[in-house]
Amino acid sequence: MRGKVVNLKAIADEALQRAGTVEHVVVVRRTREPVAMEVGRDYFYDDLMNLPISRGPANGRCPTR
């Protein structure tokens, strides 16, 4: 868009109002622009990746059955 910031989150929020069935939204920070977040529905990707559960087992291997 020739360097212009497009507020995709606002566009997505409008679509989500119409859908009515979406429970969670993952938002990826690509610019330093402020983003309107809805508490309990919207989560930043980098915040989720910092949760201990996202790192997997300490040895790096998948657990066996």
Side-chain angles (χ1 to χ4, degrees), residues 6-62:
V6 177
N7 192 343
L8 295 177
K9 178 66 169 55
I11 295 167
D13 284 342
E14 184 179 329
L16 290 169
Q17 287 178 347
R18 294 179 190 162
T21 57
V22 176
E23 295 180 17
H24 303 287
V25 175
V26 178
V27 178
V28 177
R29 295 179 217 226
R30 294 182 49 104
T31 66
R32 296 192 188 271
E33 296 293 317
V35 178
M37 301 288 280
E38 185 175 314
V39 176
R41 185 195 71 185
D42 300 345
Y43 302 92
F44 282 117
Y45 175 82
D46 53 328
D47 292 342
L48 294 174
M49 291 290 85
N50 288 326
L51 294 174
I53 194 168
S54 69
R55 294 188 203 118
N59 63 7
R61 296 186 297 181
C62 294

